[in-house]
Amino acid sequence: MAFREFDSVQVSRRSLFRSTAYLAAGGAIATLPFGAELLARVETSAWPNLASTIDSYVSAGKVANMVAVIGSGQDSPQKIAQGGQGFGRSSAPAGLDTLYRIYSMTKPITGMAAMICIEDGLMSLDQPVADFLPGFANMRVLKQADGPLDQTVPAERPITIRNLLTHTAGLGYDIITKGPLLKAYQASGIVGGQVSRIPIPGFTNAKPAPGLKVWADRLAKLPLIAQPGAKWSYSVGLDLMGRVIEVATGQTLDAFLQQRIFEPCGMDSSWFQVPESEAHRLSDNYGILNGVPLPIDVASSSVYLDRPPIIWGGSGLVCSPRDYDRFLEMVLGYGRINGRRVMSETAVRVGTSNILPEGADLSGSFVAGQGFGAGARVADGTYGWGGAAGTLGMADFGNGIRAGLFTQFMPAEAYPVTRDFRAALIKDLQVRAHG
């Protein structure tokens, strides 16, 4: 059995999320005196603080729309939604079936796909990536992360599947890498996603490599920024994981996700390319300039209507709130949804536990003092991640709660949406618990 060594794994509950983390609600919620039964009987209208927070953003014109989704166990989700799919558009109001660019919320889905592959015996957590992609054998590591590309030392150990899932492979990211390596990434088309068909100031506008295989081959020729397993550094690790999945399964990543996760979970509105027939459901995306939202990817001409040059397992999906809630429901159900088993309970337990390499340095990162699982943060029984356009999703195993927030603006730090969402959610739950 692929998971024999993890039979006794326990979900990590060693720390609370910090104030800057998307999922700090998970740790705070776990301290409240109520169970999932309370959430199950609460109506959407009983979330006044969440409703007020959403209204404060939409009515002030900061965002075109905002949708919050809260669920208990495997019950149907509740929603709070306000606004239309774009400023000045006559389209339908935003809701559970509106389509959102979820960017890095793709990472947990790819992470769970990797756990399915491990469950199937196609790979193991500590297996070298070079077993699937030989170009990643004998990697070199920069002496300084932002230093010259010819000043390197040999990698002390191979990059493993665990490293890719936990951002400890020593890989970079075009959104955070600096110096000569960033220029080399851009010249090689090692970009981590797409924003618009037109160049947008402040965003990476380098031309992506022509396909995931070429992308991975070019990445293998560039040095690492840290020794594998030594340091947490946000990276293209989940994108590379997508290529490993392709080699291990003999399927394209999008085909594998469709067959093993989307179809069995009932996720019929999750795509790397939005069908033309569904473009009317896509929310416009906005860039925030001096507090003013400006359109950077309008639904009718969105880059997501095109076949993407790369199937990005770390950032590429467009998804509805209803679909992502179904994914979280499956995870929260330890692999089961609607009476159907999508993946084994052990696979979920391992993927949502702290699988960081022993001794990995997290200092200075935004996961310092926390754990990390298959593509997402884990702490105090909560698993989840956020996206670059203001979205987030989490599953709280301690209380059987799943929660998501969906809107569209970039950069995500332009507004303190996740902080405000967290505070409002906790306040509403505290009122209900003591009411």
Side-chain angles (χ1 to χ4, degrees):
M1 294 293 291
F3 286 109
R4 185 169 11 183
E5 62 191 296
F6 301 110
D7 285 344
S8 62
V9 70
Q10 297 293 320
V11 175
S12 173
R13 302 179 61 86
R14 65 182 187 176
S15 64
L16 300 179
F17 289 108
R18 300 192 173 191
S19 61
T20 58
Y22 330 114
L23 306 178
I29 290 171
T31 68
L32 299 178
F34 69 92
E37 296 81 5
L38 173 65
L39 181 59
R41 65 174 181 263
V42 176
E43 297 297 328
T44 300
S45 59
W47 299 89
N49 289 287
L50 274 179
S52 177
T53 296
I54 290 173
D55 177 72
S56 70
Y57 277 98
V58 178
S59 63
K62 293 182 177 180
V63 296
N65 64 70
M66 195 172 285
V67 177
V69 185
I70 311 292
S72 172
Q74 296 205 321
D75 293 337
S76 297
Q78 303 170 24
K79 72 175 175 68
I80 303 172
Q82 188 170 333
Q85 292 175 177
F87 287 113
R89 287 175 56 183
S90 59
S91 56
L96 288 177
D97 296 308
T98 299
L99 298 176
Y100 291 88
R101 304 152 191 80
I102 63 170
Y103 286 107
S104 286
M105 280 168 63
T106 307
K107 288 178 170 69
I109 293 177
T110 300
M112 284 298 135
M115 300 313 296
I116 291 173
C117 289
I118 295 174
E119 171 189 331
D120 288 350
L122 299 176
M123 64 181 72
S124 62
L125 269 179
D126 293 309
Q127 186 170 5
V129 168
D131 286 357
F132 305 93
L133 306 175
F136 285 88
N138 305 313
M139 294 296 288
R140 305 287 299 184
V141 182
L142 289 170
K143 290 183 178 180
Q144 293 183 315
D146 59 352
L149 298 185
D150 59 355
Q151 295 185 14
T152 64
V153 296
E156 298 172 356
R157 60 189 70 85
I159 298 173
T160 65
I161 300 300
R162 183 190 300 270
N163 296 150
L164 294 188
L165 293 174
T166 59
H167 298 294
T168 57
L171 295 167
Y173 219 156
D174 59 325
I175 57 176
I176 61 170
T177 301
K178 299 177 181 179
L181 185 58
L182 174 58
K183 293 181 180 179
Y185 269 34
Q186 293 173 340
S188 299
I190 309 300
V191 299
Q194 59 186 356
V195 175
S196 175
R197 287 177 174 171
I198 59 175
I200 304 294
F203 294 94
T204 297
N205 295 303
K207 183 179 179 180
L212 184 55
K213 181 183 184 302
V214 174
W215 180 95
D217 290 343
R218 292 180 181 179
L219 179 63
K221 292 179 171 64
L222 298 174
L224 304 175
I225 62 173
Q227 290 287 344
K231 182 178 179 61
W232 195 94
S233 179
Y234 204 36
S235 72
V236 294
L238 273 298
D239 299 296
L240 186 57
M241 187 72 246
R243 177 58 187 157
V244 173
I245 290 172
E246 291 189 336
V247 174
T249 65
Q251 296 179 269
T252 61
L253 177 61
D254 51 342
F256 184 78
L257 293 179
Q258 183 67 32
Q259 179 184 358
R260 298 301 297 271
I261 294 181
F262 299 160
E263 288 183 3
C265 286
M267 297 169 64
D268 57 9
S269 295
S270 298
W271 299 286
F272 289 91
Q273 177 185 12
V274 177
E276 196 74 37
S277 61
E278 306 302 321
H280 66 283
R281 296 164 53 195
L282 180 61
S283 178
D284 294 343
N285 193 17
Y286 294 87
I288 308 303
L289 180 64
N290 297 324
V292 178
L294 302 173
I296 57 176
D297 192 52
V298 177
S300 60
S301 59
S302 174
V303 68
Y304 284 92
L305 299 179
D306 302 335
R307 176 69 180 177
I310 296 168
I311 302 299
W312 284 287
S315 67
L317 280 172
V318 171
C319 187
S320 70
R322 189 188 304 277
D323 265 24
Y324 208 84
D325 181 70
R326 284 175 174 147
F327 169 70
L328 293 176
E329 182 180 341
M330 183 275 290
V331 172
L332 199 59
Y334 292 104
R336 293 184 66 88
I337 183 171
N338 296 330
R340 182 176 185 177
R341 181 155 294 285
V342 178
M343 54 192 296
S344 72
E345 178 176 343
T346 304
V348 175
R349 286 188 179 276
V350 173
T352 59
S353 69
N354 181 16
I355 59 172
L356 282 166
E358 185 176 355
D361 180 11
L362 276 62
S363 61
S365 75
F366 49 81
V367 296
Q370 302 162 32
F372 212 86
R377 185 193 319 266
V378 295
D380 206 60
T382 304
Y383 169 87
W385 202 239
T391 60
L392 66 91
M394 55 172 269
D396 176 358
F397 289 91
N399 292 290
I401 296 169
R402 58 190 198 271
L405 181 67
F406 298 84
T407 186
Q408 297 280 253
F409 67 90
M410 301 180 81
E413 59 268 23
Y415 300 135
V417 167
T418 54
R419 182 199 69 190
D420 293 346
F421 174 78
R422 177 178 68 249
L425 177 61
I426 293 173
K427 189 171 183 180
D428 279 338
L429 290 172
Q430 286 175 331
V431 170
R432 298 299 302 184
H434 298 98

